[in-house]
Amino acid sequence: MKALILSGGSGTRLRPITHTSAKQLVPVANKPILFYAMEAIRAAGITDIGIIVGDTHAEIEAAIGDGGRWGCKVTYIRQDAPLGLAHAVKIAEPFLKDEPFVMFLGDNLIRDGITGLVKRFEAERPNSQILLAHVKNPQDFGVAELDGNKVIRLVEKPEKPMSDLALVGVYMFDKTIFPAVNAIKPSKRGELEITDAIQYLIDQGLKVNSHIITGWWKDTGKLEDMLEANRLVLEGLETKIEGDVDQESKLIGKVEIGPGSRIVSSVIRGPAIIGENCLIEKSYVGPFTSIHNSVILCASEIEHSIVLADSKIVDIGSRIEDSLIGKNVVVCRDCGKPRAYRFMLGDNSEVSVL
Ligand code: TTP
């Protein structure tokens, strides 16, 4: 079996982060989301992986390389424009050839991995196997209608959902998916939809099985979901202290601190992870916070947030919460006159002031 990871797309819902970076490389608990997909695929025994890449191809290729670090062989497949998940399958045909494959959305995280699901697919050999999860907001997802575990209908983001079963971003297919992706037409939003391709399989009388997952799954396409994924992964964190923690500081709960980092006169309440070469001084880091490498946090408080590398947060009077702070960002108090907020914000930035 092969794997196809989708790491193209436009990532509009995560702007401005995606103006400069691939959303699949945003770290969750200080590890790029895409690495979790690589690990899950490798754990399922699959080593031949195609990765769909778009505008952010250089960054993805630099992060994943030839896949050797996971014991895998990676082939990059360039998608000129994000024309849909089924379009990604279409252009991957020369790589996938006749082999069955698992398709994994590169911005999705699935707690229990895919090993059991791949085994089941190989044992039952349907034409396709989709994963479903009960969700509160099915209108935001592809939604399935079932008869037993057989799928009878799929609709992309329905206005009136016929169930609360959303399609999870991991799908398994055999070669019958290629005539399907070649037959369907673009949807109203101009994309070749994978739901339409799977519906085509159903309409042709082919076998599409489903599996309802019970462990958590997160599509990290939006800020709140990214923070939620970070929270869920950090819940499994184990304490590991490689940096220096001074006498005046207090660590509570599960905390990881990377080498070269210094914690000075601060309180860190886990689960929280701090990368390498950070300085946390006279500050509070609260639960569900991930701080990446070389960050300076001084006289400030932060909780339930993700801070990317090389950023600086200094002397912020109120607590920062529910935030995603990009690379090399400066957030600081300015005592200069006249007293004023001074911003330099990228397009589509969001700021909430007190
Ligand atoms: P989405 O999150 O559905 O789409 P997007 O990345 O364009 O984001 P937004 O809606 O915020 O603009 O995509 C799911 C995954 O599939 C994600 O990892 C990007 C990838 N993808 C492709 O590789 N090619 C595509 O044509 C599309 C639509 C998505």
Side-chain angles (χ1 to χ4, degrees), residues 92-166:
E93 186 175 355
F95 162 73
L96 296 163
K97 302 202 177 85
D98 281 351
E99 269 201 58
F101 64 98
V102 49
M103 170 169 127
F104 204 124
L105 302 188
D107 60 348
N108 274 227
L109 274 177
I110 173 163
R111 189 191 72 179
D112 297 332
I114 58 165
T115 306
L117 305 161
V118 168
K119 275 204 188 112
R120 182 169 162 196
F121 177 70
E122 287 187 314
E124 295 177 1
R125 279 284 170 207
N127 300 101
S128 170
Q129 177 178 293
I130 60 171
L131 303 194
L132 300 171
H134 292 285
V135 295
K136 290 198 188 91
N137 50 336
Q139 62 283 357
D140 296 338
F141 298 90
V143 174
E145 195 178 332
L146 301 184
D147 177 11
N149 84 338
K150 212 173 117 201
V151 185
I152 49 174
R153 197 157 69 101
L154 285 179
V155 186
E156 187 58 39
K157 301 191 176 71
E159 274 172 32
K160 292 199 182 101
M162 52 288 183
S163 78
D164 69 343
L165 288 170

Side-chain angles (χ1 to χ4, degrees), residues 5-14 23-24 52-54 79 81-85 87-88 104-108 157 189 191 219 221:
I5 304 182
L6 270 58
S7 286
S10 37
T12 45
R13 290 165 301 158
L14 264 182
K23 67 171 164 181
Q24 299 84 2
I52 298 284
V53 287
Q79 190 184 24
L83 298 176
L85 308 188
H87 179 261
F104 204 124
L105 302 188
D107 60 348
N108 274 227
K157 301 191 176 71
R189 60 174 178 170
E191 291 188 11
D219 170 347

Side-chain angles (χ1 to χ4, degrees), residues 93-324:
E93 186 175 355
F95 162 73
L96 296 163
K97 302 202 177 85
D98 281 351
E99 269 201 58
F101 64 98
V102 49
M103 170 169 127
F104 204 124
L105 302 188
D107 60 348
N108 274 227
L109 274 177
I110 173 163
R111 189 191 72 179
D112 297 332
I114 58 165
T115 306
L117 305 161
V118 168
K119 275 204 188 112
R120 182 169 162 196
F121 177 70
E122 287 187 314
E124 295 177 1
R125 279 284 170 207
N127 300 101
S128 170
Q129 177 178 293
I130 60 171
L131 303 194
L132 300 171
H134 292 285
V135 295
K136 290 198 188 91
N137 50 336
Q139 62 283 357
D140 296 338
F141 298 90
V143 174
E145 195 178 332
L146 301 184
D147 177 11
N149 84 338
K150 212 173 117 201
V151 185
I152 49 174
R153 197 157 69 101
L154 285 179
V155 186
E156 187 58 39
K157 301 191 176 71
E159 274 172 32
K160 292 199 182 101
M162 52 288 183
S163 78
D164 69 343
L165 288 170
L167 269 161
V168 170
V170 178
Y171 315 71
M172 286 155 221
F173 298 111
D174 69 6
K175 62 180 180 183
T176 57
I177 196 64
F178 297 117
V181 294
N182 285 315
I184 59 170
K185 297 275 171 285
S187 63
K188 271 191 243 148
R189 60 174 178 170
E191 291 188 11
L192 286 181
E193 309 286 353
I194 200 67
T195 42
D196 289 345
I198 301 169
Q199 185 65 48
Y200 182 92
L201 297 180
I202 296 167
D203 295 343
Q204 298 291 309
L206 295 168
K207 196 168 163 199
V208 179
N209 285 354
S210 68
H211 177 90
I212 300 175
I213 58 164
T214 48
W216 61 256
W217 148 73
K218 273 286 148 205
D219 170 347
T220 63
K222 297 199 301 265
L223 170 61
E224 58 183 291
D225 295 320
M226 183 75 78
L227 293 173
E228 179 68 358
N230 188 56
R231 183 182 76 75
L232 291 163
V233 175
L234 285 179
E235 274 184 343
L237 190 77
E238 291 303 330
T239 295
K240 187 169 160 197
I241 312 295
E242 293 177 289
D244 291 332
V245 181
D246 79 348
Q247 295 281 333
E248 279 177 60
S249 295
K250 209 158 115 190
L251 308 185
I252 306 154
K254 303 276 164 82
V255 174
E256 185 175 322
I257 297 171
S261 285
R262 287 193 302 131
I263 314 298
V264 183
S265 307
S266 296
V267 174
I268 301 182
R269 190 188 299 272
I273 183 166
I274 291 165
E276 300 174 8
N277 302 317
C278 294
L279 172 64
I280 312 291
E281 193 172 13
K282 296 193 193 98
S283 291
Y284 167 74
V285 177
F288 311 116
T289 305
S290 295
I291 294 183
H292 212 271
N293 299 340
S294 305
V295 166
I296 296 175
L297 181 73
C298 204
S300 300
E301 301 193 10
I302 188 164
E303 190 169 299
H304 194 251
S305 294
I306 299 175
V307 183
L308 304 194
D310 302 309
S311 287
K312 208 168 151 182
I313 301 170
V314 180
D315 201 14
I316 300 304
S318 308
R319 185 170 298 179
I320 298 171
E321 272 190 6
D322 306 338
S323 299
L324 172 58

